[in-house]
Amino acid sequence: MTKPTVDNFSRSFYPFLHEEQKRPEELMEELGFSLLEKARESAEVKTRFFADNKDSILSASLEMAKAFHRGRKLLVCGNGGSATDAQHIAVEFMHPITVGRKALPAICLTNDMAMVTAVANDVGFDDVFTRQIIALGTAGDVLLGVSTSGNSKNLMHAFATARKMNLLTIGFAGGDGGEMAAMSLGGVLNYCLTVPTSSIHRIQESHVALYHIMWDMVHTFLQHTGLVEESATDDTNEHGPEPRTGK
């Protein structure tokens, strides 16, 4: 490849390498403005999301508290960055750092790499969570799946299996909710909490705030036993709580 050809290729695919270098003070001023804009946008996205979904978040938190009160457990799953969120959620419930909050049973389905790779290799990646739910899940447990797009096939399979087994199903999504939103409308997903933005970063930041706040709400409900005592109608029946789709 000749030098002119290399230069043209570089300018086409890496234009920033050929831009005139800004003075350090100009660059720092621009980056400072960008930093504050990103922080402002992040706060606005979260504030709007929680305002629009307050009732659904409180309802999902109460149902989770009821499940824990009955001796059930939480199963959590996700892919990529959402897999680390799933791990974080399980740790929050299993190892509460706030004095007076009890440890609650939670299992992250991404943690067992031998199991995940065995199922992926022998059956397919779409079922890496399904097989674990069949083995570990009990009617009345909670399955919480996290996906920024709402379209992860292995989560869709997991939710469908969980509902057949009478688990409470909760999804965290972003954008328009993707297939998660459709599953909620179809009654498979009990709660679909969707952060309506195309920014993966803003979705993930909102998800972190969401599971921290829900953790706090669950423990608050557990401290008020009148709200979580067994009722005459068991919420873990075939249909479960009425599905709710967040905005």
Side-chain angles (χ1 to χ4, degrees):
M1 190 178 290
T2 64
K3 188 177 186 304
T5 302
V6 171
D7 287 343
N8 290 336
F9 177 88
S10 178
R11 289 180 183 278
S12 297
F13 288 91
Y14 308 104
F16 59 88
L17 294 177
H18 303 274
E19 293 175 355
E20 183 179 351
Q21 294 294 308
K22 293 182 172 62
R23 290 184 292 117
E25 56 271 26
E26 288 181 322
L27 179 61
M28 293 302 290
E29 183 177 356
E30 289 182 9
L31 289 176
F33 176 78
S34 176
L35 182 155
L36 294 176
E37 279 298 292
K38 292 179 191 301
R40 178 193 58 76
E41 180 189 28
S42 180
E44 286 184 356
V45 168
K46 286 194 286 286
T47 299
R48 184 169 61 252
F49 166 74
F50 284 106
D52 290 344
N53 293 278
K54 177 185 65 176
D55 293 340
S56 292
I57 293 168
L58 285 172
S59 178
S61 300
L62 177 57
E63 293 303 325
M64 287 179 67
K66 289 180 179 179
F68 285 124
H69 182 70
R70 295 168 181 149
R72 303 304 195 270
K73 61 184 173 294
L74 171 66
L75 304 177
V76 202
C77 55
N79 299 284
S82 295
T84 64
D85 280 326
Q87 291 176 316
H88 191 165
I89 293 168
V91 170
E92 290 289 342
F93 281 95
M94 289 280 283
H95 179 59
I97 59 172
T98 303
V99 175
R101 298 291 175 86
K102 65 184 294 187
L104 299 170
I107 301 171
C108 177
L109 303 182
T110 66
N111 285 354
D112 188 342
M113 280 296 98
M115 181 64 182
V116 169
T117 54
V119 177
N121 183 64
D122 298 340
V123 183
F125 194 72
D126 289 352
D127 290 304
V128 293
F129 302 135
T130 298
R131 289 300 180 94
Q132 296 184 74
I133 293 167
I134 292 170
L136 299 172
T138 301
D141 284 346
V142 181
L143 174 66
L144 196 164
V146 186
S147 169
T148 55
S149 67
N151 291 317
S152 300
K153 291 296 183 184
N154 51 17
L155 291 189
M156 302 307 110
H157 286 205
F159 287 134
T161 298
R163 288 304 293 140
K164 289 178 183 177
M165 295 174 60
N166 294 331
L167 275 68
L168 176 73
T169 51
I170 301 173
F172 291 1
D176 62 2
E179 291 186 38
M180 275 195 194
M183 293 187 87
S184 178
L185 293 174
V188 175
L189 193 57
N190 294 118
Y191 295 94
C192 182
L193 302 171
T194 303
V195 182
T197 175
S198 60
S199 169
I200 301 299
H201 290 158
R202 303 296 88 83
I203 294 168
Q204 291 175 325
E205 290 157 4
S206 298
H207 284 173
V208 172
L210 175 59
Y211 59 72
H212 280 140
I213 288 173
M214 287 185 68
W215 174 90
D216 190 54
M217 294 296 101
V218 166
H219 280 282
T220 300
F221 282 130
L222 287 172
Q223 291 172 347
H224 294 78
T225 55
L227 288 172
V228 295
E229 291 290 348
E230 293 281 358
S231 58
T233 302
D234 189 352
D235 287 336
T236 63
N237 61 28
E238 181 181 354
H239 302 288
E242 181 180 351
R244 296 187 182 216
T245 302
K247 298 179 181 179

